[in-house]
Amino acid sequence: MDWERQWAGRLKRVQPSPIMDLIKVLGQRQAINFASGLPDPDGFPLEGLREGAAAVLDMDWRAALQYGEAEGYRPLREWVAKDLSARGVPTRADQVLITSGSQQAIDLVGRALLQPGDIVLTENPSYLAALQVFASFEATVRAIATDGEGIDVESAAAYLRQPGVKLLYLMPNHQNPSGISLAPERRRPILEAAKRAGVPVLADEAYLHLRYDPGVPEPLACADPEAPVITVGTFSKTIAPGLRVAHMAGPPDFMSRMGLLKQITDLHANSYTQRLVHRFAASGEYPAHVASLCVAFRKKRDCFLDALERRLGGQATWTRPAGGMFLLLWLPAGRSASALLPRALDHGVAYVPGAAFFPGGDGENTMRLNFLSPALAEIEDGVARLARAIAG
Ligand SMILES: Cc1ncc(COP(=O)(O)O)c(C=O)c1O
């Protein structure tokens, strides 16, 4: 069979992720890992989950092992609605859909809204796996000029006025891959422009809770409750990604169709892990757990930034994220982070070359560094290795 002729057009548009290729290489090499996209397993609340897993099976096994509602486990939807409302996004439980990871939420939004040739606006850089979703729906991605405070308001407004724009995808807080956040004063004007243009905004809040600097980060939707914002959140970064429990919430007339789409896709999210996550999230332990993650992660971020300053100051520039997992580093113009990678691996350190995150095509001299995946004790050595590789 000639599969190249058989593939649907949507599959032909999707490029394989360089991260997946790198994970294969890393499996065969000894390297300090700044490349991974994985949360630190030391942060998984193992004891709480062990106790919860037994309790769910003891007390609720019939429902936990049974098919469930497409929209998700009602108490978890209620919990999410309450949590979003407390964060300034008034939400009712029937506006919440539980998804199998926030990756699926992005895919469902794409399926609901995108047709071949539609335009999706994103930050530059943006989250690679979301870009792959948009490509899979044969949409065209246009990258909006982005600086250390997020997307530029004027450019965003100009793009939003163009015909064919169907979606604006943003990571408003501690984004992947740069860790930067959309400045508070830019939020309302951007949402107003989206509202005027009739373009929905997909706000991916995956890293909302991982905040290390003072201040409580707000979901984007807070900035204008009337704006057509679909808020996506996940328990992958604060509990554990392997459970695959996440959520989306949005305007009632949009969300009313999402249950059907979810049902067509995989019937519903895992009945058992939804209950497990709900038990842990609703327990008094959850806020303390997230706070303790932030304390440990702040230490790693500070250590990483300090090592970069001492070892690479003057030779490269980088973002200084207030939260999240990643920072983005720029080599001097003209250098290639992809070309440098084999040498970095020879020096025993791995990163992800940034080019694939830049729909604007300008990221060849960038690399994404995960400051949480190495152990605290490995950071200094890893940055020293990186500096040696860059020095040549
Ligand atoms: C910005 C962003 N959105 C969504 C996801 C997907 O996470 P999950 O599907 O585990 O919720 C990730 C994972 O790394 C991410 O970085």
Side-chain angles (χ1 to χ4, degrees):
M1 170 69 79
D2 179 2
W3 287 107
E4 289 313 314
R5 285 172 51 123
Q6 300 293 329
W7 302 134
R10 58 183 171 274
L11 190 58
K12 290 183 187 153
R13 294 278 296 271
V14 183
Q15 298 299 317
S17 157
I19 304 177
M20 290 303 166
D21 296 343
L22 197 58
I23 286 169
K24 282 185 208 139
V25 174
L26 275 177
Q28 299 141 20
R29 302 281 295 253
Q30 280 291 329
I32 294 178
N33 187 359
F34 298 160
S36 147
L38 308 184
D40 180 352
D42 288 343
F44 299 160
L46 188 57
E47 274 320 303
L49 292 179
R50 189 175 276 145
E51 180 272 324
V56 167
L57 283 183
D58 283 348
M59 296 176 341
D60 199 12
W61 66 269
R62 279 175 201 279
L65 301 178
Q66 189 54 279
Y67 288 118
E69 281 179 52
E71 289 80 4
Y73 178 49
R74 186 81 198 181
L76 182 58
R77 296 170 72 202
E78 281 165 4
W79 186 91
V80 170
K82 215 168 129 193
D83 185 66
L84 277 174
S85 303
R87 293 174 193 279
V89 188
T91 307
R92 293 189 317 272
D94 56 13
Q95 287 170 263
V96 176
L97 177 80
I98 306 298
T99 57
S100 305
S102 50
Q103 187 65 32
Q104 184 182 53
I106 299 169
D107 186 71
L108 291 177
V109 172
R111 277 180 76 180
L113 300 179
L114 299 178
Q115 309 214 75
D118 284 343
I119 295 169
V120 179
L121 304 177
T122 69
E123 292 152 273
N124 191 43
S126 186
Y127 172 48
L128 184 56
L131 299 177
Q132 288 176 310
V133 168
F134 305 141
S136 80
F137 294 109
E138 299 172 78
T140 301
V141 168
R142 297 255 165 84
I144 303 172
T146 306
D147 61 21
E149 310 240 275
I151 54 168
D152 178 67
V153 177
E154 303 279 291
S155 324
Y159 270 121
L160 282 163
R161 282 194 296 271
Q162 289 181 357
V165 174
K166 284 296 277 293
L167 186 66
L168 169 60
Y169 170 70
L170 296 174
M171 288 160 280
N173 292 292
H174 322 127
Q175 72 114 269
N176 180 359
S178 72
I180 64 161
S181 298
L182 183 59
E185 63 279 10
R186 293 190 185 185
R187 296 182 174 205
R188 200 177 165 88
I190 287 167
L191 291 188
E192 274 171 358
K195 204 164 51 177
R196 264 198 311 275
V199 173
V201 181
L202 174 55
D204 181 346
E205 304 280 7
Y207 299 98
L208 176 71
H209 304 88
L210 299 185
R211 171 74 164 202
Y212 318 132
D213 283 353
V216 181
E218 292 187 338
L220 177 67
C222 287
D224 183 352
E226 303 299 312
V229 181
I230 303 153
T231 299
V232 167
T234 182
F235 294 100
S236 289
K237 316 296 173 182
T238 53
I239 300 183
L243 301 174
R244 310 306 299 137
V245 181
H247 45 90
M248 66 193 267
D253 40 358
F254 174 78
M255 292 308 298
S256 65
R257 304 291 293 272
M258 288 298 106
L260 180 59
L261 205 47
K262 171 72 180 158
Q263 191 189 333
I264 294 168
T265 305
D266 64 350
L267 299 185
H268 58 80
N270 184 313
S271 302
Y272 176 55
T273 55
Q274 286 189 78
R275 282 166 175 77
L276 181 54
V277 162
H278 173 254
R279 230 189 120 78
F280 189 72
S283 77
E285 279 176 65
Y286 184 55
H289 166 69
V290 175
S292 78
L293 284 183
C294 289
V295 169
F297 294 172
R298 179 184 302 122
K299 257 191 215 148
K300 286 191 175 181
R301 183 213 47 184
D302 290 349
C303 174
F304 211 104
L305 288 176
D306 180 57
L308 282 175
E309 200 58 60
R310 280 182 288 99
R311 307 240 176 217
L312 276 164
Q315 296 169 65
T317 55
W318 52 87
T319 54
R320 289 174 175 71
M325 275 169 70
F326 304 106
L327 61 83
L328 195 70
L329 180 141
W330 279 261
L331 297 169
R335 290 200 65 182
S336 161
S338 339
L340 182 68
L341 184 59
R343 191 156 78 219
L345 288 169
D346 288 344
H347 279 82
V349 64
Y351 59 81
V352 179
F357 299 99
F358 283 78
D362 49 341
E364 188 52 43
N365 62 334
T366 66
M367 59 180 75
R368 188 189 74 174
L369 300 169
N370 181 335
F371 52 84
L372 298 185
S373 71
L376 188 61
E378 287 178 324
I379 290 176
E380 183 70 38
D381 186 24
V383 173
R385 287 164 190 266
L386 185 64
R388 284 199 291 278
I390 291 173

